[in-house]
Amino acid sequence: MRALVHDEHGEAGRVLRLGERPPPAAPTAGQVRVRVLSRPVHPGDLAGVEGFPGASRQRFATPRIPGLEGMGVVESVGGGVRDLRSGQRVAFFPVPGAWSELLTAPAELVVPVPEGVSDETAALMLVNPLTLLMLLRAVEDALHGRTGPVVQTAAGSSVGRLVATAALRHDIPLVNLVRGPAGAQTLRQRFPALPTISTADTDWRIQVRNATGGRSVRVVLDAVGGSLTGELAGLLDDGGTLITYGQLGSGSTPLESLALTPRALTVRGVSVGRWLTRTPKERAEDVAFAARLAATSPELFEVAARYDLADFAQAVDHVRRPGKTGTVLLTSPAS
């Protein structure tokens, strides 16, 4: 089978390579084997290849296959698996090795694709909606039952658009931040009821204050980080919360410069990698939400482009393209 592998942390276009790997072992009890047809390239996937900020870069004794999410077709099932069958379309997360053409996964992490949901939507069906749920819970905790303005960065991203949609449904007073004027204009057209501001404008902080009616911000959802962190903290009301869930930006901000103690600010990290700490019942409810969203609102699962596994370098370049809308997919033939 084909698979993308890397032996060390480093720039994805340099350290990744396409090779032939032995197929995974046949499924045992409670497992299924899936032929993977499509998998997203998330920023977190690239961070796993390149090494997360602040962590030491490593070489590995055994090559690693990136990716945790994707969709495909069940090839075979192990003993005791009742709800999945050969030939069934499925989505999966979090299952290591998604950037290969075959994988063996715990059946509890494999989800039937609802009828009518396209393969492309199914490939994106889990990570982003689950991230949305975790962010909404973190915002609810941070507000402590009160109301107040919420600001989000990277508002034009796939997760950002999900947050904007949820804000409209739940009457959350959200202000969207994007990097440039073109992205701001696109998002204003898509969400005309929500203020959208470009941080390329020199007066963007003043624009945020005007958008909130002069009220200080209670919560910031930040997927950018880096040098922008200090300015985002400056938007917060005393006692406010900065929720960080990504590192798309460059540079850094010293923690002591945020005046956390005198201003009683909270910095909270949220990662979809922690989703498995929820109970099986809670996870089932979250997956049901994600499947309903995919079935009823496929427009929220926008695809930027599709590339064969062999064209991974082009896919990585596309992920980093300024103004990109939607998620890049890596695909494999059905047989």
Side-chain angles (χ1 to χ4, degrees), residues 124 128 132 135 152-169 174 176-178 183 186-188 190-191 194 245 293 298-304 323-328:
L124 304 173
N128 287 343
L132 168 68
L135 292 176
Q152 74 157 338
T153 63
S157 68
S158 298
V159 171
R161 294 196 306 275
L162 287 174
V163 170
T165 301
L168 291 173
R169 291 177 179 174
L174 181 70
N176 289 322
L177 297 182
V178 296
T186 299
L187 208 61
R188 290 185 192 114
R190 186 158 190 168
F191 300 102
L194 297 176
Y245 69 100
L293 195 65
E299 70 279 0
L300 295 175
F301 299 80
E302 189 170 351
V303 172
K324 174 187 69 68
T325 299
T327 302
V328 173

Side-chain angles (χ1 to χ4, degrees), residues 104-116:
T104 299
E108 65 175 343
L109 302 180
V110 179
V111 181
V113 175
E115 187 175 352

Side-chain angles (χ1 to χ4, degrees), residues 38-40 42 69-72 89-92 113-129 290-303 306 327 329:
S38 187
R39 68 288 279 166
H42 291 302
E69 180 184 30
M71 72 77 53
R89 290 192 311 146
V90 292
F92 56 84
V113 175
E115 187 175 352
V117 171
S118 70
D119 287 358
E120 289 184 343
T121 298
L124 304 173
M125 189 175 82
L126 296 175
V127 166
N128 287 343
R292 286 195 305 272
L293 195 65
T296 60
S297 302
E299 70 279 0
L300 295 175
F301 299 80
E302 189 170 351
V303 172
R306 307 148 201 81
T327 302
L329 297 179

Side-chain angles (χ1 to χ4, degrees), residues 148-155 160 163-164 167 172-178 187 193-198 204-213 215 217 219-221 232 235:
V150 176
V151 169
Q152 74 157 338
T153 63
V163 170
I172 299 172
L174 181 70
V175 178
N176 289 322
L177 297 182
V178 296
L187 208 61
L194 297 176
T196 299
I197 297 163
S198 166
W204 69 268
R205 289 168 294 277
I206 296 174
Q207 292 184 48
V208 171
R209 296 289 186 193
N210 293 337
T212 63
R215 294 182 296 165
V217 175
V219 180
V220 170
L221 290 172
L232 295 172
L235 298 176

Side-chain angles (χ1 to χ4, degrees), residues 1-7 12-22 36 39 49 63-66 97-102 307-316 330-333:
M1 69 170 190
R2 297 188 307 166
L4 289 174
V5 300
H6 64 115
D7 301 293
R14 179 181 66 85
V15 300
L16 284 173
R17 68 182 188 276
L18 182 69
E20 288 291 329
R21 305 283 295 173
V36 186
R39 68 288 279 166
V49 172
R64 294 184 177 181
I65 302 174
W99 293 10
S100 63
E101 292 187 319
L102 286 169
Y307 295 90
D308 183 81
L309 278 177
D311 300 321
F312 65 89
Q314 296 175 35
V316 170
L330 288 168
T331 61
S332 302

